[in-house]
Short mmCIF file of all heavy atoms in Angstrom, two decimals:
data_model
loop_
_atom_site.label_atom_id
_atom_site.label_comp_id
_atom_site.label_asym_id
_atom_site.label_seq_id
_atom_site.Cartn_x
_atom_site.Cartn_y
_atom_site.Cartn_z
N GLU A 1184 2.22 -4.52 19.91
CA GLU A 1184 1.59 -5.45 20.91
C GLU A 1184 1.75 -4.96 22.33
O GLU A 1184 2.07 -5.75 23.22
CB GLU A 1184 2.13 -6.85 20.71
CG GLU A 1184 1.88 -7.39 19.33
CD GLU A 1184 2.66 -8.66 19.00
OE1 GLU A 1184 3.89 -8.56 18.80
OE2 GLU A 1184 2.04 -9.72 18.93
N GLY A 1185 1.63 -3.66 22.52
CA GLY A 1185 1.69 -3.10 23.87
C GLY A 1185 3.08 -2.78 24.40
O GLY A 1185 3.24 -2.39 25.54
N ARG A 1186 4.09 -2.98 23.57
CA ARG A 1186 5.45 -2.69 24.04
C ARG A 1186 5.65 -1.20 24.28
O ARG A 1186 5.00 -0.35 23.66
CB ARG A 1186 6.50 -3.16 23.01
CG ARG A 1186 6.59 -4.68 22.90
CD ARG A 1186 7.75 -5.05 21.98
NE ARG A 1186 7.88 -6.49 21.85
CZ ARG A 1186 7.25 -7.23 20.96
NH1 ARG A 1186 6.41 -6.67 20.13
NH2 ARG A 1186 7.48 -8.53 20.94
N LEU A 1187 6.62 -0.89 25.15
CA LEU A 1187 6.92 0.48 25.49
C LEU A 1187 7.72 1.18 24.41
O LEU A 1187 8.69 0.62 23.88
CB LEU A 1187 7.77 0.58 26.78
CG LEU A 1187 7.20 -0.01 28.07
CD1 LEU A 1187 8.22 0.21 29.18
CD2 LEU A 1187 5.89 0.63 28.42
N LEU A 1188 7.31 2.40 24.10
CA LEU A 1188 8.10 3.24 23.20
C LEU A 1188 8.46 4.54 23.93
O LEU A 1188 7.61 5.19 24.52
CB LEU A 1188 7.32 3.57 21.92
CG LEU A 1188 8.04 4.36 20.84
CD1 LEU A 1188 7.62 3.93 19.44
CD2 LEU A 1188 7.89 5.87 20.97
N LEU A 1189 9.74 4.86 23.94
CA LEU A 1189 10.21 6.09 24.55
C LEU A 1189 10.89 6.92 23.45
O LEU A 1189 11.41 6.36 22.48
CB LEU A 1189 11.28 5.80 25.64
CG LEU A 1189 10.83 5.15 26.92
CD1 LEU A 1189 12.02 4.93 27.83
CD2 LEU A 1189 9.77 6.02 27.64
N PRO A 1190 10.92 8.25 23.63
CA PRO A 1190 11.79 9.02 22.75
C PRO A 1190 13.22 8.51 22.95
O PRO A 1190 13.54 7.99 24.04
CB PRO A 1190 11.61 10.47 23.25
CG PRO A 1190 11.09 10.36 24.63
CD PRO A 1190 10.34 9.07 24.71
N GLY A 1191 14.07 8.63 21.94
CA GLY A 1191 15.44 8.10 22.06
C GLY A 1191 16.07 8.55 23.35
O GLY A 1191 15.91 9.69 23.78
N LEU A 1192 16.80 7.62 24.01
CA LEU A 1192 17.42 7.96 25.29
C LEU A 1192 18.51 9.00 25.07
O LEU A 1192 19.15 9.04 24.01
CB LEU A 1192 18.04 6.71 25.95
CG LEU A 1192 17.07 5.54 26.13
CD1 LEU A 1192 17.80 4.37 26.79
CD2 LEU A 1192 15.85 5.95 26.95
N VAL A 1193 18.70 9.85 26.06
CA VAL A 1193 19.67 10.93 25.98
C VAL A 1193 20.71 10.73 27.07
O VAL A 1193 20.41 10.82 28.24
CB VAL A 1193 19.01 12.31 26.16
CG1 VAL A 1193 20.03 13.44 26.02
CG2 VAL A 1193 17.91 12.50 25.11
N ASP A 1194 21.92 10.37 26.67
CA ASP A 1194 23.01 10.17 27.65
C ASP A 1194 23.79 11.47 27.74
O ASP A 1194 24.55 11.84 26.89
CB ASP A 1194 23.91 8.99 27.20
CG ASP A 1194 24.51 8.29 28.39
OD1 ASP A 1194 24.78 8.96 29.39
OD2 ASP A 1194 24.69 7.05 28.32
N SER A 1195 23.55 12.17 28.87
CA SER A 1195 24.02 13.56 28.95
C SER A 1195 25.43 13.71 29.49
O SER A 1195 25.94 14.83 29.61
CB SER A 1195 23.07 14.35 29.85
OG SER A 1195 22.87 13.70 31.10
N HIS A 1196 26.09 12.58 29.80
CA HIS A 1196 27.45 12.71 30.33
C HIS A 1196 28.21 11.41 30.04
O HIS A 1196 28.04 10.41 30.75
CB HIS A 1196 27.40 12.99 31.84
CG HIS A 1196 28.75 13.20 32.47
ND1 HIS A 1196 28.99 14.25 33.33
CD2 HIS A 1196 29.91 12.52 32.39
CE1 HIS A 1196 30.27 14.18 33.76
NE2 HIS A 1196 30.83 13.11 33.19
N MET A 1197 28.98 11.44 28.97
CA MET A 1197 29.80 10.28 28.67
C MET A 1197 31.28 10.75 28.42
O MET A 1197 31.52 11.96 28.40
CB MET A 1197 29.31 9.54 27.42
CG MET A 1197 27.93 8.93 27.60
SD MET A 1197 27.42 7.95 26.16
CE MET A 1197 28.19 6.35 26.49
N HIS A 1198 32.14 9.78 28.27
CA HIS A 1198 33.56 10.07 27.88
C HIS A 1198 33.89 9.12 26.77
O HIS A 1198 34.62 8.15 26.96
CB HIS A 1198 34.49 9.87 29.07
CG HIS A 1198 34.32 10.89 30.16
ND1 HIS A 1198 35.06 12.02 30.23
CD2 HIS A 1198 33.45 10.92 31.22
CE1 HIS A 1198 34.70 12.74 31.28
NE2 HIS A 1198 33.71 12.09 31.91
N LEU A 1199 33.36 9.40 25.58
CA LEU A 1199 33.54 8.47 24.44
C LEU A 1199 35.00 8.25 24.10
O LEU A 1199 35.38 7.15 23.71
CB LEU A 1199 32.80 9.03 23.22
CG LEU A 1199 31.28 9.16 23.34
CD1 LEU A 1199 30.70 9.88 22.14
CD2 LEU A 1199 30.62 7.76 23.47
N ASP A 1200 35.80 9.28 24.22
CA ASP A 1200 37.24 9.18 23.82
C ASP A 1200 38.02 8.22 24.72
O ASP A 1200 39.02 7.67 24.31
CB ASP A 1200 37.91 10.54 23.79
CG ASP A 1200 37.75 11.32 25.11
OD1 ASP A 1200 36.66 11.24 25.73
OD2 ASP A 1200 38.71 11.99 25.51
#
Side-chain angles (χ1 to χ4, degrees):
E1184 300 167 289
R1186 290 186 179 87
L1187 300 181
L1188 184 146
L1189 290 178
L1192 305 181
V1193 180
D1194 211 326
S1195 53
H1196 183 134
M1197 296 184 84
H1198 291 267
L1199 295 172
D1200 53 322

